[in-house]
Amino acid sequence: MNTQVKVLVVEDEMIIGAKISMYLTDLGYEVTGIIPRGEEVIFHLKENTPDIILMDINLKGNLNGIETAMLIQKHMDIPIIYLTANTDEATFARAKPTRPYAFISKPFKQLDLKHALELASERILVEKSEPQNQPEKFVLNDRIFVRYNEVMVKIIIEDILYLEADRNYC
């Protein structure tokens, strides 16, 4: 990686958080912190904005991971990957509106985490580069283009004397 992708780990079990942090460091990611409570995440983001957040759904404190993700998304656009032991349909349905980039169940394999982070990193790069690759949108107010004999022909609007409709065609 040319520039390290910054990852925030939100995990209330510090042993698991430390293990994830080691995995991420070995994979070449920069860990901006290991935060155990949803309330603390908001304060951390003001100081250190990560590129990706690995979020556990069951957190200690007043906010769970889904509520924390919703609060984050009100102010920032940071991709979230849920890493949770709660893989039931109800939990997934609650998490889905937050548009997570991935949903990894615990216990997880290092390879699953690696693949999810690579996909999220790639998606971030594409989303950041898209506006630069698209031409500026503009409107031509003085001309129209018409297909004639398999060729697009430019017609200046001032030169049009009349238009004739023929069913679906004008």
Side-chain angles (χ1 to χ4, degrees), residues 29-48:
Y29 294 94
E30 178 185 336
V31 177
T32 64
I34 303 170
I35 308 291
R37 296 176 182 269
E39 299 86 357
E40 296 172 19
V41 172
I42 307 302
F43 297 112
H44 178 83
L45 294 178
K46 291 177 183 174
E47 305 284 321
N48 266 318

Side-chain angles (χ1 to χ4, degrees), residues 2-3 8 17 26 43 49 60-61 64 78 83-84 86 88-89 97 111 123-124 131-132 147 149 159 164 170:
N2 294 342
T3 59
L8 172 63
D26 290 345
F43 297 112
T49 304
K60 294 176 183 163
N64 67 32
I78 303 172
L83 188 61
T84 183
N86 296 345
D88 59 281
E89 282 299 317
L111 188 62
R123 189 168 152 190
I124 291 166
Q132 298 167 358
R147 184 180 308 278
N149 291 336
D159 294 342
E164 185 176 322
C170 289

Side-chain angles (χ1 to χ4, degrees), residues 30-158:
E30 178 185 336
V31 177
T32 64
I34 303 170
I35 308 291
R37 296 176 182 269
E39 299 86 357
E40 296 172 19
V41 172
I42 307 302
F43 297 112
H44 178 83
L45 294 178
K46 291 177 183 174
E47 305 284 321
N48 266 318
T49 304
D51 298 307
I52 300 170
I53 299 174
L54 276 178
M55 179 83 69
D56 186 11
I57 289 180
N58 276 344
L59 297 173
K60 294 176 183 163
N62 296 327
L63 296 174
N64 67 32
I66 296 169
E67 294 165 338
T68 303
M70 288 178 181
L71 276 175
I72 292 167
Q73 290 174 343
K74 284 182 181 177
H75 305 287
M76 299 176 184
D77 187 23
I78 303 172
I80 294 175
I81 296 174
Y82 287 114
L83 188 61
T84 183
N86 296 345
T87 57
D88 59 281
E89 282 299 317
T91 302
F92 183 75
R94 282 190 2 250
K96 198 172 175 184
T98 63
R99 303 174 323 277
Y101 277 44
F103 196 90
I104 303 171
S105 59
K106 292 179 190 174
F108 62 93
K109 297 177 188 161
Q110 187 174 0
L111 188 62
D112 292 339
L113 183 60
K114 178 182 183 234
H115 288 166
L117 285 164
E118 283 179 11
L119 289 172
S121 299
E122 188 66 31
R123 189 168 152 190
I124 291 166
L125 289 174
V126 168
E127 288 172 356
K128 284 183 180 178
S129 66
E130 274 181 355
Q132 298 167 358
N133 293 340
Q134 293 178 350
E136 286 186 31
K137 294 180 181 177
F138 64 94
V139 176
L140 297 173
N141 293 324
D142 63 340
R143 68 198 75 187
I144 63 172
F145 292 87
V146 178
R147 184 180 308 278
Y148 179 74
N149 291 336
E150 305 295 323
V151 178
M152 294 301 286
V153 178
K154 175 178 69 173
I155 299 174
I156 304 298
I157 292 176
E158 289 179 354

Side-chain angles (χ1 to χ4, degrees), residues 12-24:
D12 60 345
E13 300 205 26
M14 293 311 284
I15 294 172
I16 294 172
K19 183 178 177 182
I20 293 169
S21 179
M22 280 188 346
Y23 283 159
L24 295 175

